[in-house]
Amino acid sequence: MSYVDGFVCPVKNEKKDAYLASATKAADIFKEYGATAVWENWGNDIPDGEVTSFPLSVKLQEGETVVFSWIVWPSKAVRDEAWSKLMQDDRMKMEDMPFDGKRMFWGGFENILSA
């Protein structure tokens, strides 16, 4: 069964191009280590919530957009091996991250249905 890493983060609107450039570079590296797909999605219809929502989850600020991303792996074993290598890969180091990593959240998910 495939495995998915999901990410949600706030990105300043003026950094959209920088974010896309860094995400494109990272996607190539993820695929090199076994990912089968990488998706980057720029929010454009994300309502504010009263209790919970994407904007609340990242403490979205004026001039920012929520980005929703995921990486598909063939299995958790492939993903785990890849991440141990990715953390050592100098190409993954960013001197100037185009998003606020402190307000990003992520998790790993076992795929239970692909329709």
Side-chain angles (χ1 to χ4, degrees):
M1 191 60 67
S2 62
Y3 199 81
V4 176
D5 282 315
F7 305 87
V8 178
C9 68
V11 179
K12 290 183 180 182
N13 294 331
E14 67 264 14
K15 291 194 173 191
K16 182 178 182 179
D17 291 338
Y19 179 84
L20 183 56
S22 69
T24 300
K25 177 183 170 187
D28 290 340
I29 300 168
F30 293 142
K31 288 182 176 182
E32 181 181 318
Y33 284 108
T36 58
V38 178
W39 292 81
E40 294 290 341
N41 303 277
W42 190 261
N44 68 9
D45 186 14
I46 303 174
D48 288 324
E50 292 180 26
V51 177
T52 188
S53 67
F54 281 106
L56 286 171
S57 70
V58 296
K59 299 179 181 176
L60 195 68
Q61 298 173 3
E62 185 72 32
E64 294 179 331
T65 297
V66 175
V67 173
F68 178 41
S69 310
W70 64 91
I71 306 166
V72 181
W73 304 95
S75 67
K76 185 175 187 306
V78 170
R79 176 263 203 174
D80 289 349
E81 183 177 338
W83 276 109
S84 68
K85 293 176 182 175
L86 285 160
M87 294 296 98
Q88 303 303 317
D89 193 318
D90 288 339
R91 297 173 297 169
M92 291 297 293
K93 293 182 172 74
M94 285 187 246
E95 291 185 25
D96 184 29
M97 288 197 321
F99 61 93
D100 185 347
K102 291 179 182 175
R103 291 186 286 140
M104 176 176 79
F105 67 94
W106 64 92
F109 302 85
E110 178 184 354
N111 179 276
I112 59 171
L113 173 67
S114 295

